[in-house]
PDB file of all heavy atoms in Angstrom:
ATOM      1  N   PRO A   1      13.393  -7.494  -3.559  1.00 98.00           N
ATOM      2  CA  PRO A   1      11.974  -7.559  -3.207  1.00 98.00           C
ATOM      3  C   PRO A   1      11.291  -6.198  -3.278  1.00 98.00           C
ATOM      4  O   PRO A   1      10.067  -6.116  -3.168  1.00 98.00           O
ATOM      5  CB  PRO A   1      11.998  -8.081  -1.764  1.00 98.00           C
ATOM      6  CG  PRO A   1      13.301  -7.611  -1.216  1.00 98.00           C
ATOM      7  CD  PRO A   1      14.262  -7.675  -2.373  1.00 98.00           C
ATOM      8  N   HIS A   2      12.068  -5.148  -3.483  1.00 98.00           N
ATOM      9  CA  HIS A   2      11.531  -3.787  -3.474  1.00 98.00           C
ATOM     10  C   HIS A   2      11.245  -3.247  -4.877  1.00 98.00           C
ATOM     11  O   HIS A   2      10.769  -2.120  -5.012  1.00 98.00           O
ATOM     12  CB  HIS A   2      12.514  -2.858  -2.752  1.00 98.00           C
ATOM     13  CG  HIS A   2      12.940  -3.357  -1.409  1.00 98.00           C
ATOM     14  ND1 HIS A   2      12.057  -3.531  -0.367  1.00 98.00           N
ATOM     15  CD2 HIS A   2      14.160  -3.760  -0.953  1.00 98.00           C
ATOM     16  CE1 HIS A   2      12.710  -4.009   0.680  1.00 98.00           C
ATOM     17  NE2 HIS A   2      13.982  -4.149   0.345  1.00 98.00           N
ATOM     18  N   LEU A   3      11.521  -4.036  -5.922  1.00 98.00           N
ATOM     19  CA  LEU A   3      11.282  -3.595  -7.287  1.00 98.00           C
ATOM     20  C   LEU A   3       9.776  -3.570  -7.553  1.00 98.00           C
ATOM     21  O   LEU A   3       9.116  -4.610  -7.445  1.00 98.00           O
ATOM     22  CB  LEU A   3      11.979  -4.537  -8.269  1.00 98.00           C
ATOM     23  CG  LEU A   3      11.939  -4.136  -9.745  1.00 98.00           C
ATOM     24  CD1 LEU A   3      12.835  -2.928  -9.996  1.00 98.00           C
ATOM     25  CD2 LEU A   3      12.364  -5.317 -10.627  1.00 98.00           C
ATOM     26  N   PRO A   4       9.208  -2.435  -7.935  1.00 98.00           N
ATOM     27  CA  PRO A   4       7.762  -2.398  -8.210  1.00 98.00           C
ATOM     28  C   PRO A   4       7.427  -3.228  -9.444  1.00 98.00           C
ATOM     29  O   PRO A   4       8.097  -3.137 -10.473  1.00 98.00           O
ATOM     30  CB  PRO A   4       7.488  -0.911  -8.465  1.00 98.00           C
ATOM     31  CG  PRO A   4       8.659  -0.175  -7.917  1.00 98.00           C
ATOM     32  CD  PRO A   4       9.824  -1.103  -8.055  1.00 98.00           C
ATOM     33  N   VAL A   5       6.367  -4.017  -9.333  1.00 98.00           N
ATOM     34  CA  VAL A   5       5.974  -4.924 -10.412  1.00 98.00           C
ATOM     35  C   VAL A   5       4.516  -4.709 -10.818  1.00 98.00           C
ATOM     36  O   VAL A   5       4.216  -4.521 -11.993  1.00 98.00           O
ATOM     37  CB  VAL A   5       6.220  -6.389  -9.989  1.00 98.00           C
ATOM     38  CG1 VAL A   5       5.554  -7.358 -10.958  1.00 98.00           C
ATOM     39  CG2 VAL A   5       7.719  -6.676  -9.909  1.00 98.00           C
ATOM     40  N   THR A   6       3.597  -4.729  -9.858  1.00 98.00           N
ATOM     41  CA  THR A   6       2.182  -4.563 -10.186  1.00 98.00           C
ATOM     42  C   THR A   6       1.881  -3.090 -10.467  1.00 98.00           C
ATOM     43  O   THR A   6       2.645  -2.191 -10.099  1.00 98.00           O
ATOM     44  CB  THR A   6       1.291  -5.029  -9.036  1.00 98.00           C
ATOM     45  OG1 THR A   6       1.449  -4.128  -7.924  1.00 98.00           O
ATOM     46  CG2 THR A   6       1.650  -6.443  -8.600  1.00 98.00           C
ATOM     47  N   ALA A   7       0.741  -2.841 -11.096  1.00 98.00           N
ATOM     48  CA  ALA A   7       0.342  -1.462 -11.385  1.00 98.00           C
ATOM     49  C   ALA A   7       0.216  -0.646 -10.104  1.00 98.00           C
ATOM     50  O   ALA A   7       0.628   0.526 -10.051  1.00 98.00           O
ATOM     51  CB  ALA A   7      -0.979  -1.450 -12.160  1.00 98.00           C
ATOM     52  N   ASP A   8      -0.330  -1.261  -9.058  1.00 98.00           N
ATOM     53  CA  ASP A   8      -0.468  -0.546  -7.784  1.00 98.00           C
ATOM     54  C   ASP A   8       0.903  -0.196  -7.211  1.00 98.00           C
ATOM     55  O   ASP A   8       1.096   0.915  -6.687  1.00 98.00           O
ATOM     56  CB  ASP A   8      -1.241  -1.405  -6.775  1.00 98.00           C
ATOM     57  CG  ASP A   8      -2.734  -1.457  -7.067  1.00 98.00           C
ATOM     58  OD1 ASP A   8      -3.205  -0.646  -7.893  1.00 98.00           O
ATOM     59  OD2 ASP A   8      -3.422  -2.312  -6.479  1.00 98.00           O
ATOM     60  N   GLU A   9       1.838  -1.144  -7.287  1.00 98.00           N
ATOM     61  CA  GLU A   9       3.182  -0.886  -6.766  1.00 98.00           C
ATOM     62  C   GLU A   9       3.882   0.209  -7.563  1.00 98.00           C
ATOM     63  O   GLU A   9       4.560   1.076  -6.983  1.00 98.00           O
ATOM     64  CB  GLU A   9       4.009  -2.171  -6.802  1.00 98.00           C
ATOM     65  CG  GLU A   9       3.575  -3.215  -5.785  1.00 98.00           C
ATOM     66  CD  GLU A   9       4.210  -4.580  -6.028  1.00 98.00           C
ATOM     67  OE1 GLU A   9       4.851  -4.790  -7.086  1.00 98.00           O
ATOM     68  OE2 GLU A   9       4.050  -5.444  -5.148  1.00 98.00           O
ATOM     69  N   ILE A  10       3.744   0.183  -8.888  1.00 98.00           N
ATOM     70  CA  ILE A  10       4.375   1.201  -9.736  1.00 98.00           C
ATOM     71  C   ILE A  10       3.789   2.573  -9.438  1.00 98.00           C
ATOM     72  O   ILE A  10       4.523   3.557  -9.272  1.00 98.00           O
ATOM     73  CB  ILE A  10       4.233   0.824 -11.214  1.00 98.00           C
ATOM     74  CG1 ILE A  10       5.083  -0.412 -11.529  1.00 98.00           C
ATOM     75  CG2 ILE A  10       4.632   1.993 -12.120  1.00 98.00           C
ATOM     76  CD1 ILE A  10       4.803  -1.039 -12.880  1.00 98.00           C
ATOM     77  N   ALA A  11       2.462   2.653  -9.336  1.00 98.00           N
ATOM     78  CA  ALA A  11       1.823   3.936  -9.042  1.00 98.00           C
ATOM     79  C   ALA A  11       2.247   4.457  -7.674  1.00 98.00           C
ATOM     80  O   ALA A  11       2.621   5.637  -7.531  1.00 98.00           O
ATOM     81  CB  ALA A  11       0.301   3.780  -9.095  1.00 98.00           C
ATOM     82  N   GLN A  12       2.198   3.601  -6.661  1.00 98.00           N
ATOM     83  CA  GLN A  12       2.546   4.027  -5.307  1.00 98.00           C
ATOM     84  C   GLN A  12       4.004   4.459  -5.229  1.00 98.00           C
ATOM     85  O   GLN A  12       4.332   5.478  -4.604  1.00 98.00           O
ATOM     86  CB  GLN A  12       2.278   2.898  -4.313  1.00 98.00           C
ATOM     87  CG  GLN A  12       2.433   3.302  -2.852  1.00 98.00           C
ATOM     88  CD  GLN A  12       1.471   4.412  -2.446  1.00 98.00           C
ATOM     89  OE1 GLN A  12       0.330   4.452  -2.900  1.00 98.00           O
ATOM     90  NE2 GLN A  12       1.941   5.334  -1.610  1.00 98.00           N
ATOM     91  N   SER A  13       4.894   3.721  -5.881  1.00 98.00           N
ATOM     92  CA  SER A  13       6.314   4.052  -5.841  1.00 98.00           C
ATOM     93  C   SER A  13       6.582   5.375  -6.563  1.00 98.00           C
ATOM     94  O   SER A  13       7.394   6.190  -6.106  1.00 98.00           O
ATOM     95  CB  SER A  13       7.128   2.922  -6.467  1.00 98.00           C
ATOM     96  OG  SER A  13       8.480   3.015  -6.101  1.00 98.00           O
ATOM     97  N   ALA A  14       5.885   5.586  -7.672  1.00 98.00           N
ATOM     98  CA  ALA A  14       6.040   6.849  -8.400  1.00 98.00           C
ATOM     99  C   ALA A  14       5.550   8.031  -7.569  1.00 98.00           C
ATOM    100  O   ALA A  14       6.196   9.090  -7.524  1.00 98.00           O
ATOM    101  CB  ALA A  14       5.284   6.783  -9.720  1.00 98.00           C
ATOM    102  N   LEU A  15       4.421   7.853  -6.899  1.00 98.00           N
ATOM    103  CA  LEU A  15       3.875   8.941  -6.081  1.00 98.00           C
ATOM    104  C   LEU A  15       4.773   9.231  -4.880  1.00 98.00           C
ATOM    105  O   LEU A  15       4.958  10.402  -4.506  1.00 98.00           O
ATOM    106  CB  LEU A  15       2.458   8.585  -5.626  1.00 98.00           C
ATOM    107  CG  LEU A  15       1.401   8.575  -6.741  1.00 98.00           C
ATOM    108  CD1 LEU A  15       0.084   8.008  -6.235  1.00 98.00           C
ATOM    109  CD2 LEU A  15       1.196   9.973  -7.319  1.00 98.00           C
ATOM    110  N   GLU A  16       5.341   8.194  -4.288  1.00 98.00           N
ATOM    111  CA  GLU A  16       6.278   8.402  -3.177  1.00 98.00           C
ATOM    112  C   GLU A  16       7.531   9.138  -3.662  1.00 98.00           C
ATOM    113  O   GLU A  16       8.053  10.009  -2.953  1.00 98.00           O
ATOM    114  CB  GLU A  16       6.659   7.059  -2.563  1.00 98.00           C
ATOM    115  CG  GLU A  16       5.539   6.380  -1.796  1.00 98.00           C
ATOM    116  CD  GLU A  16       5.902   4.958  -1.386  1.00 98.00           C
ATOM    117  OE1 GLU A  16       7.009   4.493  -1.748  1.00 98.00           O
ATOM    118  OE2 GLU A  16       5.077   4.316  -0.705  1.00 98.00           O
ATOM    119  N   ALA A  17       8.005   8.794  -4.856  1.00 99.00           N
ATOM    120  CA  ALA A  17       9.172   9.478  -5.417  1.00 99.00           C
ATOM    121  C   ALA A  17       8.870  10.950  -5.658  1.00 99.00           C
ATOM    122  O   ALA A  17       9.698  11.831  -5.385  1.00 99.00           O
ATOM    123  CB  ALA A  17       9.612   8.801  -6.709  1.00 99.00           C
ATOM    124  N   ALA A  18       7.673  11.233  -6.172  1.00 98.00           N
ATOM    125  CA  ALA A  18       7.272  12.619  -6.410  1.00 98.00           C
ATOM    126  C   ALA A  18       7.189  13.389  -5.092  1.00 98.00           C
ATOM    127  O   ALA A  18       7.637  14.543  -4.996  1.00 98.00           O
ATOM    128  CB  ALA A  18       5.936  12.652  -7.147  1.00 98.00           C
ATOM    129  N   GLU A  19       6.631  12.750  -4.090  1.00 98.00           N
ATOM    130  CA  GLU A  19       6.522  13.387  -2.774  1.00 98.00           C
ATOM    131  C   GLU A  19       7.909  13.690  -2.200  1.00 98.00           C
ATOM    132  O   GLU A  19       8.117  14.720  -1.530  1.00 98.00           O
ATOM    133  CB  GLU A  19       5.746  12.475  -1.824  1.00 98.00           C
ATOM    134  CG  GLU A  19       5.494  13.052  -0.449  1.00 98.00           C
ATOM    135  CD  GLU A  19       4.542  14.238  -0.440  1.00 98.00           C
ATOM    136  OE1 GLU A  19       3.722  14.368  -1.375  1.00 98.00           O
ATOM    137  OE2 GLU A  19       4.628  15.045   0.507  1.00 98.00           O
ATOM    138  N   ALA A  20       8.875  12.827  -2.495  1.00 98.00           N
ATOM    139  CA  ALA A  20      10.240  13.021  -1.994  1.00 98.00           C
ATOM    140  C   ALA A  20      11.002  14.098  -2.761  1.00 98.00           C
ATOM    141  O   ALA A  20      12.048  14.557  -2.288  1.00 98.00           O
ATOM    142  CB  ALA A  20      11.000  11.702  -2.067  1.00 98.00           C
ATOM    143  N   GLY A  21      10.517  14.477  -3.938  1.00 98.00           N
ATOM    144  CA  GLY A  21      11.171  15.565  -4.666  1.00 98.00           C
ATOM    145  C   GLY A  21      11.402  15.335  -6.141  1.00 98.00           C
ATOM    146  O   GLY A  21      11.968  16.201  -6.812  1.00 98.00           O
ATOM    147  N   ALA A  22      10.980  14.193  -6.681  1.00 99.00           N
ATOM    148  CA  ALA A  22      11.139  13.972  -8.117  1.00 99.00           C
ATOM    149  C   ALA A  22      10.128  14.825  -8.882  1.00 99.00           C
ATOM    150  O   ALA A  22       8.929  14.775  -8.591  1.00 99.00           O
ATOM    151  CB  ALA A  22      10.943  12.496  -8.459  1.00 99.00           C
ATOM    152  N   ALA A  23      10.613  15.577  -9.853  1.00 98.00           N
ATOM    153  CA  ALA A  23       9.723  16.376 -10.701  1.00 98.00           C
ATOM    154  C   ALA A  23       9.200  15.566 -11.876  1.00 98.00           C
ATOM    155  O   ALA A  23       8.165  15.903 -12.459  1.00 98.00           O
ATOM    156  CB  ALA A  23      10.449  17.611 -11.220  1.00 98.00           C
ATOM    157  N   ILE A  24       9.937  14.502 -12.250  1.00 99.00           N
ATOM    158  CA  ILE A  24       9.577  13.641 -13.383  1.00 99.00           C
ATOM    159  C   ILE A  24       9.643  12.192 -12.923  1.00 99.00           C
ATOM    160  O   ILE A  24      10.589  11.799 -12.233  1.00 99.00           O
ATOM    161  CB  ILE A  24      10.540  13.845 -14.573  1.00 99.00           C
ATOM    162  CG1 ILE A  24      10.503  15.293 -15.071  1.00 99.00           C
ATOM    163  CG2 ILE A  24      10.221  12.881 -15.712  1.00 99.00           C
ATOM    164  CD1 ILE A  24      11.549  15.601 -16.138  1.00 99.00           C
ATOM    165  N   VAL A  25       8.654  11.393 -13.320  1.00 99.00           N
ATOM    166  CA  VAL A  25       8.742   9.947 -13.121  1.00 99.00           C
ATOM    167  C   VAL A  25       8.758   9.274 -14.486  1.00 99.00           C
ATOM    168  O   VAL A  25       7.951   9.579 -15.362  1.00 99.00           O
ATOM    169  CB  VAL A  25       7.594   9.396 -12.241  1.00 99.00           C
ATOM    170  CG1 VAL A  25       7.789   9.834 -10.802  1.00 99.00           C
ATOM    171  CG2 VAL A  25       6.221   9.801 -12.754  1.00 99.00           C
ATOM    172  N   HIS A  26       9.717   8.378 -14.669  1.00 98.00           N
ATOM    173  CA  HIS A  26       9.947   7.666 -15.936  1.00 98.00           C
ATOM    174  C   HIS A  26       9.418   6.256 -15.764  1.00 98.00           C
ATOM    175  O   HIS A  26       9.837   5.528 -14.858  1.00 98.00           O
ATOM    176  CB  HIS A  26      11.450   7.676 -16.234  1.00 98.00           C
ATOM    177  CG  HIS A  26      11.867   6.807 -17.375  1.00 98.00           C
ATOM    178  ND1 HIS A  26      11.798   7.215 -18.684  1.00 98.00           N
ATOM    179  CD2 HIS A  26      12.354   5.540 -17.402  1.00 98.00           C
ATOM    180  CE1 HIS A  26      12.238   6.243 -19.471  1.00 98.00           C
ATOM    181  NE2 HIS A  26      12.572   5.211 -18.712  1.00 98.00           N
ATOM    182  N   LEU A  27       8.488   5.840 -16.650  1.00 98.00           N
ATOM    183  CA  LEU A  27       7.679   4.665 -16.376  1.00 98.00           C
ATOM    184  C   LEU A  27       7.787   3.575 -17.434  1.00 98.00           C
ATOM    185  O   LEU A  27       7.743   3.843 -18.639  1.00 98.00           O
ATOM    186  CB  LEU A  27       6.207   5.084 -16.245  1.00 98.00           C
ATOM    187  CG  LEU A  27       5.922   6.149 -15.165  1.00 98.00           C
ATOM    188  CD1 LEU A  27       4.472   6.579 -15.222  1.00 98.00           C
ATOM    189  CD2 LEU A  27       6.267   5.618 -13.772  1.00 98.00           C
ATOM    190  N   HIS A  28       7.924   2.345 -16.963  1.00 98.00           N
ATOM    191  CA  HIS A  28       7.779   1.111 -17.726  1.00 98.00           C
ATOM    192  C   HIS A  28       6.638   0.319 -17.098  1.00 98.00           C
ATOM    193  O   HIS A  28       6.199   0.605 -15.987  1.00 98.00           O
ATOM    194  CB  HIS A  28       9.045   0.255 -17.638  1.00 98.00           C
ATOM    195  CG  HIS A  28      10.236   0.802 -18.362  1.00 98.00           C
ATOM    196  ND1 HIS A  28      10.876   0.107 -19.364  1.00 98.00           N
ATOM    197  CD2 HIS A  28      10.935   1.958 -18.212  1.00 98.00           C
ATOM    198  CE1 HIS A  28      11.906   0.803 -19.803  1.00 98.00           C
ATOM    199  NE2 HIS A  28      11.968   1.933 -19.119  1.00 98.00           N
ATOM    200  N   ALA A  29       6.192  -0.733 -17.803  1.00 98.00           N
ATOM    201  CA  ALA A  29       5.154  -1.624 -17.272  1.00 98.00           C
ATOM    202  C   ALA A  29       5.701  -3.044 -17.164  1.00 98.00           C
ATOM    203  O   ALA A  29       6.616  -3.428 -17.900  1.00 98.00           O
ATOM    204  CB  ALA A  29       3.925  -1.592 -18.174  1.00 98.00           C
TER     205      ALA A  29
END
């Protein structure tokens, strides 16, 4: 249930990952 699917979920999850320390986010749609 935690897999990001919508654009909002993907964006929010990527931003949270960056805040946690990811320098790069790798993205699919």
Side-chain angles (χ1 to χ4, degrees):
H2 309 297
L3 186 71
V5 168
T6 68
D8 285 347
E9 289 168 350
I10 291 168
Q12 188 61 37
S13 197
L15 290 171
E16 290 171 357
E19 183 68 24
I24 300 173
V25 289
H26 171 83
L27 303 174
H28 290 239

